[in-house]
Amino acid sequence: MGDVYTRVLLKVSGEALMGDGAYGIDASTVNGIAQQVKSASELGTQVAVVVGGGNIWRGAQVSETGMDRATADYAGMLATVINALALQDAIEQLGGNVRTQTAIPIQQVAEPYIRRRAIRHLEKGRVVIFAAGTGNPFFTTDTAAALRAVEIEADVLLMTKNRVDGVYDADPRATPGARRFETLTYMDVLSRRLQVMDSTALTLCMENELPIVVFDVASPDGIVRAAGGERIGTLVGAAQTVLAAEGTVAARPAAPGQPA
């Protein structure tokens, strides 16, 4: 392993909680993620988590059927709360110490999001799960992850993907021979329109020079390894961060219009 991060923000998509199913929450998958989160915390890393809700509800897609977009997005926020409670319970069943905070008040089941309280929980070694996105419609949980990571001054945003072990120049599930990048700058991602996260989230990371590690949530001990500083998946960061990473120069893609 490399240097263990002091504080990380882990983004887990709703789809990652489905396992091999087509909808909902797969208990064994959630338990596996919970075990890794707990293990990463036991390394001494302060771990915060943002969960998506796509396994239950996708506001942007539902709005295409005629539902008001803001209403659809609020429903999606509630889906993330369900996922957060499932992950919270799984961590607690393993003996972990965890708190869930929501961006929209649901006091019966979770604390409201309060930045200073969240940081205090982390300092005490508790896992903190952030639910309900940013609390605003029209923003994705990717943006919520970037926002919370910047707010709590995380060292890195650990961005898990479902069955994709990094950032590729094409969809590796549909394009044989697609190339996986070891490192990328923020501008590489934006100029090539690579599917890392939405542009609002990526721009927020870029403006605050927050590194992003993209890896497969199903990778064996991937969360623990990433939190421990091991080089897995794809590193996205500022130019100086990328150049400082081992093997970066050879791994970087050529700029558009330049030979590879």
Side-chain angles (χ1 to χ4, degrees):
M1 284 197 176
D3 294 331
V4 176
Y5 290 112
T6 299
R7 182 179 296 162
V8 303
L9 190 294
L10 172 69
K11 168 65 195 306
V12 179
S13 68
E15 290 88 343
L17 303 180
M18 295 190 301
D20 294 327
Y23 177 84
I25 299 171
D26 177 70
S28 63
T29 299
V30 173
N31 289 339
I33 293 172
Q35 180 63 70
Q36 288 203 60
V37 169
K38 180 174 179 288
S39 296
S41 180
E42 290 171 346
L43 290 174
T45 301
Q46 299 171 17
V47 183
V49 186
V50 167
V51 290
N55 57 320
I56 299 172
W57 185 273
R58 280 194 169 276
Q61 291 180 1
V62 174
S63 68
E64 293 176 359
T65 67
M67 186 175 186
D68 175 70
R69 173 62 189 272
T71 301
D73 281 355
Y74 280 119
M77 293 177 210
L78 298 180
T80 72
V81 176
I82 294 172
N83 288 337
L85 293 178
L87 182 58
Q88 172 189 274
D89 183 74
I91 295 171
E92 288 178 337
Q93 294 292 335
L94 294 168
N97 199 346
V98 58
R99 298 289 187 275
T100 295
Q101 295 192 344
T102 60
I104 52 177
I106 311 178
Q107 295 180 3
Q108 288 83 351
V109 297
E111 299 177 2
Y113 171 67
I114 300 173
R115 174 182 173 271
R116 290 173 63 89
R117 180 180 291 178
I119 292 173
R120 187 60 176 155
H121 285 320
L122 292 167
E123 291 172 343
K124 287 180 174 288
R126 298 165 183 154
V127 174
V128 180
I129 303 173
F130 297 122
T134 66
N136 300 288
F138 305 102
F139 290 95
T140 68
T141 52
D142 284 356
T143 299
L147 176 62
R148 295 291 182 250
V150 171
E151 285 184 305
I152 66 172
E153 299 179 353
D155 299 319
V156 65
L157 171 55
L158 303 182
M159 192 80 181
T160 65
K161 295 295 183 179
N162 196 21
R163 297 183 177 88
V164 179
D165 62 347
V167 183
Y168 286 76
D169 58 1
D171 185 350
R173 294 170 293 190
T175 307
R179 176 190 178 193
R180 182 169 70 86
F181 299 118
E182 296 293 328
T183 57
L184 291 161
T185 67
Y186 304 114
M187 291 309 300
D188 289 332
V189 175
L190 287 170
S191 64
R192 289 171 169 267
R193 299 185 178 182
L194 300 173
Q195 298 301 308
V196 175
M197 56 177 60
D198 70 77
S199 59
T200 302
L202 184 67
T203 300
L204 186 57
C205 291
M206 180 171 64
E207 290 176 347
N208 291 277
E209 296 189 1
L210 175 68
I212 308 161
V213 175
V214 184
F215 63 101
D216 186 357
V217 70
S219 174
D221 293 324
I223 294 170
V224 179
R225 290 159 57 202
E230 183 176 334
R231 287 291 305 280
I232 67 171
T234 301
L235 170 67
V236 180
Q240 60 268 29
T241 300
V242 167
L243 291 172
E246 181 181 359
T248 295
V249 176
R252 287 191 60 202
Q258 298 296 321

